[in-house]
Amino acid sequence: MSVSDKEREEIEKSSAPLIEHLIELRRRLIWSLGGFFVAFLVCFFFAKRLFNLLVIPFKWATQWAGLDPHKVELIYTAPQEFFFTQVKLAMFGGMVIAFPLIATQIYKFIAPGLYKNERSAFLPFLIASPILFLMGASLVYFFFTPMVMWFFLAMQQVGTDDQVQISLLPKVSEYLSLIMTLIFSFGLVFQLPVVTSLLTRVGLLSSQALADKRKWAIVLSFVVAAVLTPPDPLSQCGLAVPTIILYEVAIWSSRMIERSQARDRLAREQQDAGGSVAGNTPDAPST
């Protein structure tokens, strides 16, 4: 089977010596770490403003609970606690901001070892991944965090002659850990269509296998939601329902990929068959 000049050129590009790969890896790591460090410094400079931005869902929850949103109060009990909270927030924000750059550097490092059609197939997932993560983070910020904090605020107790005053005074570190955990959890869940599509494209997964495991996926979605969310049905459904919808989207995208691969395979077979017929056609008899 002959190899075309274009395929031979792609093979030669992917056979660079090891030292060149290490130099390229070092360059990509420098760009990734540099981008993260710059984003970290920017986020740390605006850490207090970013934290006040993250407190807005808490204010919405106080309104839902019938309380005064202007009296929202968070505390820290150790002198260094709020400083390290700002560092953690800056690291988290820096990673989110620098993720497109880091993903681009990863793609540029592995792209020379891929064929042209593989590179074109990988690019949509590189674009879809941060978009889906932002969608999950937006769901946490605008809906899930206010709902969770409203649930916790509803547990407060007003002081009377027969009962003591019990008020919610969350620590800044614990509130940040809660909202970061929720954002990270929803961000990972929203990567489900990307992961399944990549596994389908490389042949490790099929849409039929995903469809056959649908019942188990539904049960697992509620189990994971019960672990990651407060113990109330509304919160659990807030994570489980989007997970189930994303699982259905993953099945649909896997079927689209399989149909596209089937069409490409059929076109190659027809092209090979046409070439074979043309090669076996006898020459016209000379006069």
Side-chain angles (χ1 to χ4, degrees):
M1 184 176 179
S2 62
V3 180
S4 64
D5 294 338
K6 186 176 294 185
E7 291 179 345
R8 188 179 296 109
E9 184 181 354
E10 295 285 342
I11 294 174
E12 291 175 355
K13 288 182 179 179
S14 63
S15 60
L18 176 60
I19 188 65
E20 293 185 10
H21 286 299
L22 293 177
I23 294 174
E24 180 70 11
L25 177 61
R26 182 185 64 179
R27 180 163 58 249
R28 300 306 173 190
L29 285 175
I30 291 174
W31 273 102
S32 300
L33 292 176
F36 169 74
F37 184 69
V38 172
F40 168 80
L41 292 179
V42 173
C43 290
F44 185 76
F45 182 78
F46 295 102
K48 289 186 178 180
R49 296 184 182 181
L50 291 175
F51 193 85
N52 289 327
L53 188 65
L54 293 178
V55 175
I56 292 178
F58 191 11
K59 294 181 178 180
W60 294 339
T62 57
Q63 289 181 329
W64 296 358
L67 303 174
D68 187 2
H70 300 290
K71 294 183 179 180
V72 171
E73 182 179 359
L74 288 87
I75 63 172
Y76 61 96
T77 57
Q80 73 280 6
E81 181 180 348
F82 190 46
F83 171 77
F84 285 113
T85 300
Q86 295 180 71
V87 172
K88 186 186 298 186
L89 176 59
M91 292 180 64
F92 183 76
M95 182 59 68
V96 172
I97 294 175
F99 177 78
L101 175 63
I102 296 173
T104 302
Q105 296 304 313
I106 295 174
Y107 172 75
K108 288 184 177 180
F109 177 71
I110 66 175
L114 303 175
Y115 290 109
K116 185 177 181 180
N117 60 334
E118 293 174 337
R119 291 196 294 267
S120 61
F122 189 80
L123 272 176
F125 301 107
L126 190 64
I127 299 173
S129 182
I131 294 176
L132 290 173
F133 185 88
L134 289 177
M135 290 175 60
S138 299
L139 181 63
V140 169
Y141 185 85
F142 291 104
F143 173 72
F144 205 74
T145 299
M147 183 178 61
V148 170
M149 296 308 299
W150 170 78
F151 172 80
F152 291 139
L153 285 169
M155 301 176 67
Q156 294 185 124
Q157 180 174 283
V158 179
T160 61
D161 295 336
D162 299 329
Q163 58 188 18
V164 298
Q165 175 77 23
I166 300 177
S167 302
L168 174 62
L169 292 176
K171 296 170 63 177
V172 291
S173 58
E174 294 176 350
Y175 178 79
L176 180 64
S177 297
L178 173 64
I179 196 169
M180 283 174 53
T181 300
L182 291 175
I183 290 176
F184 188 72
S185 301
F186 274 75
L188 286 182
V189 168
F190 271 67
Q191 301 303 311
L192 183 62
V194 174
V195 175
T196 55
S197 298
L198 283 174
L199 293 177
T200 302
R201 187 171 291 276
V202 299
L204 297 177
L205 196 63
S206 65
S207 60
Q208 187 60 43
L210 290 172
D212 293 339
K213 300 296 189 298
R214 181 184 281 111
K215 294 180 180 179
W216 291 101
I218 294 174
V219 174
L220 185 61
S221 299
F222 280 97
V223 170
V224 173
V227 173
L228 295 178
T229 62
D232 67 290
L234 189 61
S235 300
Q236 294 175 10
C237 293
L239 179 58
V241 172
T243 304
I244 296 171
I245 295 175
L246 288 170
Y247 191 84
E248 297 296 328
V249 173
I251 296 176
W252 175 81
S253 62
S254 297
R255 286 174 179 168
M256 295 298 102
I257 291 173
E258 290 173 348
R259 292 175 184 175
S260 176
Q261 290 177 337
R263 288 194 297 267
D264 294 340
R265 184 166 54 251
L266 180 60
R268 286 196 302 268
E269 291 175 355
Q270 292 177 349
Q271 185 178 3
D272 293 340
S276 300
V277 171
N280 295 332
T281 302
D283 296 335
S286 58
T287 56

